[in-house]
Amino acid sequence: MGGNGKPGREILKTSLHLVDECHAVNEVRRVNLRQARPMITWKPPARDQYKVNVNGAVFKHRKKAGIGVVIRDKNGVVIAALSKSVNAPLDAVEVEAKAMEAGVLFAQDVGIREAVFEGDSLIIFKALQGEGEAPSSTHNVLAVTLEQASGFRSSYFSHVKRQGNVPAHLLAQYAKEVENYVVWLEECPSFLKHTCAQDLSVVSHS
């Protein structure tokens, strides 16, 4: 083009430098994005309450559903866990309502009387708080849940996103292979140990 050419080595060196600059800028952007997004994780209950996390799962091809419940104390220690199979073709909201009911009943059976009941269904949470409407198919289940929860010395409902409800989610998925239900008392199921340990690690550093 009438200009002065550059040696091949110089062109290669310049190109590699530009690639390094591009990688460095992208890495800074990734770090900034990670810092901008607050980590969503399990939080321990206040005072001497227990936190009861619940979750539901739908197995469409098997025409059944699964429920997971995990009860932890203020130190994050697993007090009890439940994985329950529901042989009915429930939809996502219906199984979340059943999961909350199961959480309340399971906590009663374990002997807990002060609890926070937490799930990741915003529809069910708002309905239990009287701030929203759930499908009519869940009304009876929610009514039973509220009635049973009123029998605790103290209880309230809480909402958390899926990332903060992983152990309950894993228990609900585990129910796919459960014929009826499985209960763990004063022990953490082996497939939850890593996730629960991560929760404790985050809590201890917060």
Side-chain angles (χ1 to χ4, degrees):
M1 300 294 291
N4 295 325
K6 292 184 178 181
R9 288 184 179 178
E10 187 176 342
I11 293 174
L12 177 61
K13 184 178 180 180
T14 302
S15 299
L16 291 174
H17 179 69
L18 290 173
V19 169
D20 288 340
E21 278 190 350
C22 181
H23 285 165
V25 170
N26 286 333
E27 180 60 29
V28 169
R29 286 177 178 171
R30 282 194 292 269
V31 170
N32 288 339
L33 282 173
R34 286 196 295 268
Q35 291 175 343
R37 295 174 186 168
M39 182 177 291
I40 300 170
T41 186
W42 180 86
K43 290 182 173 57
R47 304 189 304 276
D48 293 327
Q49 290 182 321
Y50 293 88
K51 180 166 277 191
V52 183
N53 283 85
V54 308
N55 191 242
V58 176
F59 312 127
K60 288 184 179 180
H61 297 301
R62 302 191 182 195
K63 295 183 179 180
K64 62 186 293 188
I67 288 172
V69 181
V70 58
I71 304 175
R72 287 182 276 185
D73 64 15
K74 64 181 180 180
N75 298 314
V77 176
V78 175
I79 302 301
L82 167 71
S83 182
K84 182 179 179 180
S85 176
V86 180
N87 293 312
L90 304 177
D91 66 25
V93 178
E94 290 170 343
V95 74
E96 291 291 352
K98 291 292 291 182
M100 190 60 78
E101 177 191 38
V104 174
L105 295 175
F106 185 50
Q108 281 183 333
D109 290 342
V110 172
I112 288 171
R113 292 296 176 265
E114 297 183 1
V116 180
F117 298 101
E118 187 171 77
D120 55 40
S121 171
L122 190 57
I123 293 175
I124 296 303
F125 169 69
K126 286 187 174 182
L128 289 167
Q129 293 291 94
E131 300 173 355
E133 186 67 24
S136 58
S137 58
T138 67
H139 287 181
N140 288 340
V141 173
L142 295 179
V144 171
T145 301
L146 288 169
E147 181 182 355
Q148 295 298 322
S150 67
F152 285 71
R153 283 196 296 269
S154 70
S155 67
Y156 65 91
F157 298 97
S158 174
H159 174 260
V160 67
K161 291 188 177 180
R162 174 65 63 84
Q163 300 96 312
N165 202 34
V166 176
H169 172 71
L170 293 175
L171 284 162
Q173 292 293 327
Y174 185 81
K176 184 184 294 185
E177 308 303 331
V178 173
E179 185 174 344
N180 192 359
Y181 67 89
V182 180
V183 170
W184 295 263
L185 294 175
E186 297 183 354
E187 67 171 317
C188 181
S190 58
F191 58 92
L192 294 189
K193 288 183 178 179
H194 177 69
T195 303
C196 289
Q198 283 186 321
D199 286 346
L200 285 176
S201 174
V202 173
V203 168
S204 64
H205 289 87
S206 60

